[in-house]
Amino acid sequence: MNDVMIRLENVTYEYKSYIDDSILTAVNNVSLEVKKGEFLVILGHNGSGKSTMAKMMNGLILPTKGDIYVMGKNTKDEENIWEIRSKAGMVFQNPDNQLVATIVEEDVAFGPENLGIPPAEIRKRVDEALELVEMSEYKKHAPHLLSGGQKQRVAIAGILAMKPDCIIFDEPTAMLDPNGRLEVMNTIKKLNKEEGKTIILITHYMDEAVEADRIMVMSQGEIVLQGTPREVFSQVDRVKELGLDVPQVTELVYELRKEGIDIRNDVLNVEELVDILC
Ligand code: ADP
Ligand code: MG
């Protein structure tokens, strides 16, 4: 019980159209548990309900039906909401929309200021957070002059300054160039492996998904497939049926197997494939 970070119990979310009162079910009766320290990746084609689920996980929106508990606290209880938002921080796709101040350090201080943290403690947190995302030397810089990857790392520092146990990332690398993607993924991995943060990462990059402890695939508001990266990506046909790609190496192995070459079907990275082929 105590090792659960976030629990969803039969959660449904419905959007009501402003125009004709019609209802769209974005998340349909989902139950799941995210363990403390886990690195969970959520995959799914556009419109499958990933962002809606992410926003419910830190109390930005409330379920239409069912309950969500963040470290045992129901997101429906208004008195819990600030604690939930600081314990389960969220990083979005567009870094420009998340940076509010004109200097990096002010930006990082914004969250803890809102939490009413004393100034000396805020300064300490800002320094620690910038250190963790390797942006200390940009403390006095203007955010709008940074690269996409740097901006996103400052946004992550802003969340870290609230001392979260969990960070929910909604396609954090979607707007970045390959270099920026790598910087942000390295930061995310470090926060999980070295700082013990629980990570929920929504992405459509399969090379990012292979880093997870567990993958969940959503389709039409439901979780339709889940398991370790090996378990999920060894089901190439199923994954493709759900409108997703598989990692390049997995694709290559799939093609080789189709040609009758006897290789195990759960290879995830180049090093493994090289080992096997040699
Ligand atoms: P994903 O992040 O997987 O692309 P979303 O959670 O954004 O999926 O959307 C799930 C479904 O809910 C989609 O059909 C989408 O069109 C709909 N939807 C999302 N946001 C809204 C909204 N603000 N109003 C009405 N419908 C929405
Ligand atoms: Mg989305």
Side-chain angles (χ1 to χ4, degrees):
M1 190 65 205
N2 256 345
D3 64 344
V4 177
M5 181 70 220
I6 297 180
R7 190 164 83 244
L8 274 69
E9 284 178 0
N10 304 102
V11 168
T12 292
Y13 191 90
E14 294 169 346
Y15 290 103
K16 204 169 180 183
S17 163
Y18 301 106
I19 301 157
D20 58 1
D21 274 357
S22 64
I23 281 173
L24 185 143
T25 305
V27 172
N28 189 7
N29 197 27
V30 167
S31 297
L32 65 88
E33 273 184 4
V34 185
K35 297 258 184 302
K36 285 184 186 160
E38 188 173 9
F39 187 158
L40 174 69
V41 158
I42 302 177
L43 301 174
H45 55 77
N46 278 340
S48 56
K50 306 180 298 297
S51 293
T52 303
M53 196 154 86
K55 284 184 219 154
M56 285 195 286
M57 282 178 170
N58 87 334
L60 277 177
I61 55 176
L62 297 175
T64 313
K65 288 178 212 149
D67 290 286
I68 300 185
Y69 300 88
V70 177
M71 295 177 90
K73 309 225 166 190
N74 196 320
T75 60
K76 277 182 183 160
D77 296 338
E78 223 160 294
E79 61 200 6
N80 296 335
I81 205 66
W82 282 104
E83 193 181 341
I84 286 171
R85 296 233 180 108
S86 56
K87 288 293 160 206
M90 196 152 167
V91 175
F92 297 91
Q93 190 176 91
N94 188 344
D96 290 319
N97 294 346
Q98 302 172 80
L99 303 179
V100 287
T102 50
I103 300 176
V104 164
E105 65 176 338
E106 282 174 10
D107 217 291
V108 178
F110 189 75
E113 272 167 3
N114 277 334
L115 293 175
I117 311 278
E121 168 70 13
I122 293 181
R123 283 194 292 276
K124 185 165 157 266
R125 287 189 182 198
V126 168
D127 287 342
E128 283 170 1
L130 285 172
E131 182 79 39
L132 270 177
V133 301
E134 292 167 29
M135 284 296 287
S136 301
E137 60 185 292
Y138 294 92
K139 190 172 163 180
K140 305 285 181 191
H141 284 231
H144 73 274
L145 296 177
L146 303 174
S147 72
Q150 291 174 327
K151 283 182 195 168
Q152 201 58 305
R153 284 186 287 148
V154 171
I156 295 170
I159 299 297
L160 287 172
M162 292 189 280
K163 301 249 175 211
D165 294 294
C166 173
I167 307 182
I168 302 160
F169 293 90
D170 193 353
E171 303 202 23
T173 63
M175 303 184 73
L176 306 181
D177 61 21
N179 213 17
R181 279 183 55 203
L182 206 62
E183 289 171 24
V184 168
M185 268 316 284
N186 285 338
T187 303
I188 293 174
K189 281 192 271 183
K190 175 175 163 189
L191 293 177
N192 179 249
K193 302 279 175 310
E194 292 171 26
E195 302 297 315
K197 306 285 184 205
T198 308
I199 302 289
I200 299 169
L201 171 65
I202 297 171
T203 182
H204 59 263
Y205 291 111
M206 299 306 139
D207 55 337
E208 296 177 2
V210 300
E211 306 287 350
D213 297 319
R214 181 159 60 126
I215 293 175
M216 284 183 180
V217 183
M218 288 189 77
S219 179
Q220 298 186 338
E222 294 178 22
I223 293 162
V224 290
L225 181 61
Q226 65 170 309
T228 62
R230 276 184 215 287
E231 286 163 356
V232 168
F233 289 127
S234 57
Q235 304 174 55
V236 175
D237 291 322
R238 179 83 181 111
V239 171
K240 289 187 167 182
E241 217 174 82
L242 293 165
L244 301 172
D245 292 325
V246 294
Q248 266 181 343
V249 171
T250 313
E251 178 80 44
L252 178 58
V253 168
Y254 177 74
E255 294 300 329
L256 290 171
R257 282 168 60 89
K258 270 210 295 210
E259 296 301 317
I261 295 169
D262 182 24
I263 313 179
R264 47 177 243 252
N265 68 350
D266 63 350
V267 184
L268 284 182
N269 59 55
V270 178
E271 292 76 33
E272 277 178 15
L273 182 60
V274 169
D275 267 355
I276 291 168
L277 290 179
C278 289

